[in-house]
Every structure is written in structure tokens, then in C-alpha cells.
Amino acid sequence: MNSIGVAKAYDRWAPIYDLVFGAVFRQGRSVAIDAAERVGGRILEVGVGTGISLPRYRRSSRITGVDLSDAMLDKARGRVARLGLTNVEAIEIGDAERLAYPDHAFDVVVAQYVVSAVPHPLRALDECARVCRPGGEIVITTRVSADGGLRGAIERGLMPVTSRLGFRTEFPFSLYSDWVASRPDVTLLEARPIAPFGHFSLVRFGRTAGGKGQDQ
């Protein structure tokens, strides 16, 4: 599925997204925001969706949210206005694979349940690293698929269906480990399952000053 297809899929989800996924992703939102707030400053949330995470950030942090879905962003803007979230600097259309921000623009980049949904995950990871300043962090909550067995077979079988809904069930952790191995300017800080069932994981990367032209 291309970016247009992903946007259309999430436009369809917009009216019921919070109802369907609000509770499912609640613990992941909590741990991601806690991790981001340990750094604080300017925070970019990629795939901000309906803005369900926005009220949890401290008012001292300055938040920018981007998403491909206009329908989702309409709900996010309504939430910002309704709750008076003056620390939210911008809610904008944005593609995780082509972020419209300069290098090193943010202290933290948060991507919740996004990397496994975009057409080209490695491009999205590269963009998150590009706009994160050295010394900052990239905080990801993500689906991690089973290495094999019955669960792995089920996840592979569901892929044709779930991809049309806007996300993947088959998404190995090796995608992240191989990516960080290719990036001398990024280090893996943490990777741990998210309670209660561990179907999702928190993955944190540190952005270092090193690199071989990665920001060019």
C-alpha cells in the first residue's frame, strides 16, 4: 500500500479510531510519552492521528504533530482547541517518509504504531533520525511479529487483510536492528515488550553526533 492508500485507510478509521484503539494502545502511549518527557523540549509526534496522546504531554514541552490523514487531523485540532493545549505548536499534514522539517529540528521524535504502517519503514526511520538533534531520542511503539511457530504463521496469513486496513501484522524486530547497525549516528537504547501481553514493544534510539553523511 502506498502513502495515499494509508491515508485513505486512516480516514476511514477516523470516526471510530479512539473507540476501537484507544484502550488497546493506552499502555503504549503512556510509556512512549514518559520516555519522550525524560528528554523534553521540542517533540515531534509522527502519526499523531486524532491527537489522543496530546493531553498527556507536559505543558512545558512544545509539541508538533503530523499525520497523513486529514480526517484524523481534524479530530486532533478539535481536541487541541477543546482542551486548550497551548503547548501544541502545530498540527499538520505530513508524511513520515518525507518530513518537511530541517535537520536536527526536534529534541525527541515520537512514532507510535507508525513504522509498521508506512509503505517504506526504513525511509521513515531515516527521516526520524534526520530531524532529531544529536543527543536527542527517537521513541517508537511498534508491533513486533513472532519469529516463527503458529503465531508467526497466523501473522503472515493475515497480512493481505491487515495491510488494506493500514497496518502490518508481520513485522520482525530485525528491521530495527539491521537499520541501527547501518547508522553510525544512531544507537539502540532500549527495546522491551509493553505490558500486559507483550504484543507491542517500546524501542528507543539515541541520536549521536557521528555519522557518514547521513544527514545530507
Side-chain angles (χ1 to χ4, degrees):
M1 185 182 294
N2 59 25
S3 295
I4 295 173
V6 172
K8 289 181 177 178
Y10 280 91
D11 280 344
R12 292 193 294 270
W13 277 115
I16 59 170
Y17 186 88
D18 290 358
L19 179 64
V20 174
F21 294 109
V24 173
F25 294 153
R26 181 181 295 122
Q27 185 63 21
R29 288 195 302 274
S30 179
V31 298
I33 292 168
D34 287 348
E37 291 289 15
R38 287 197 288 270
V39 180
R42 293 197 72 207
I43 298 174
L44 173 66
E45 185 165 317
V46 179
V48 70
T50 65
I52 195 170
S53 297
L54 297 176
R56 282 194 51 93
Y57 289 101
R58 291 198 301 257
R59 292 301 180 102
S60 57
S61 296
R62 294 167 292 153
I63 314 300
T64 295
V66 298
D67 202 281
L68 276 175
S69 167
D70 272 318
M72 290 281 202
L73 291 177
D74 284 344
K75 287 187 169 289
R77 294 185 185 104
R79 181 174 262 120
V80 169
R82 186 171 65 253
L83 299 178
L85 302 179
T86 56
N87 61 325
V88 177
E89 296 185 327
I91 298 291
E92 302 173 327
I93 284 282
D95 186 344
E97 297 179 10
R98 300 173 186 83
L99 294 171
Y101 302 106
D103 296 354
H104 310 158
F106 297 93
D107 299 292
V108 189
V109 180
V110 177
Q112 299 188 56
Y113 310 103
V114 169
V115 177
S116 62
V118 298
H120 305 100
L122 296 180
R123 290 184 194 171
L125 290 171
D126 283 341
E127 280 293 272
C128 288
R130 181 183 65 78
V131 301
C132 184
R133 67 163 173 82
E137 289 192 16
I138 303 158
V139 178
I140 293 171
T141 50
T142 182
R143 180 82 173 87
V144 176
S145 58
D147 292 331
L150 178 61
R151 179 182 151 201
I154 292 171
E155 290 168 343
R156 288 190 295 275
L158 288 174
M159 272 293 292
V161 176
T162 58
S163 62
R164 289 196 294 272
L165 297 176
F167 60 92
R168 295 179 176 87
T169 48
E170 186 183 15
F171 201 81
F173 186 78
S174 60
L175 183 141
Y176 294 105
S177 56
D178 290 348
W179 175 74
V180 76
S182 75
R183 297 279 314 208
D185 56 345
V186 177
T187 57
L188 178 63
L189 301 177
E190 181 181 16
R192 62 177 170 90
I194 296 170
F197 303 114
H199 292 312
F200 303 102
S201 293
L202 174 73
V203 184
R204 293 170 47 233
F205 297 103
R207 182 67 161 82
T208 67
K212 299 177 181 178
Q214 296 284 359
D215 292 317
Q216 298 177 5

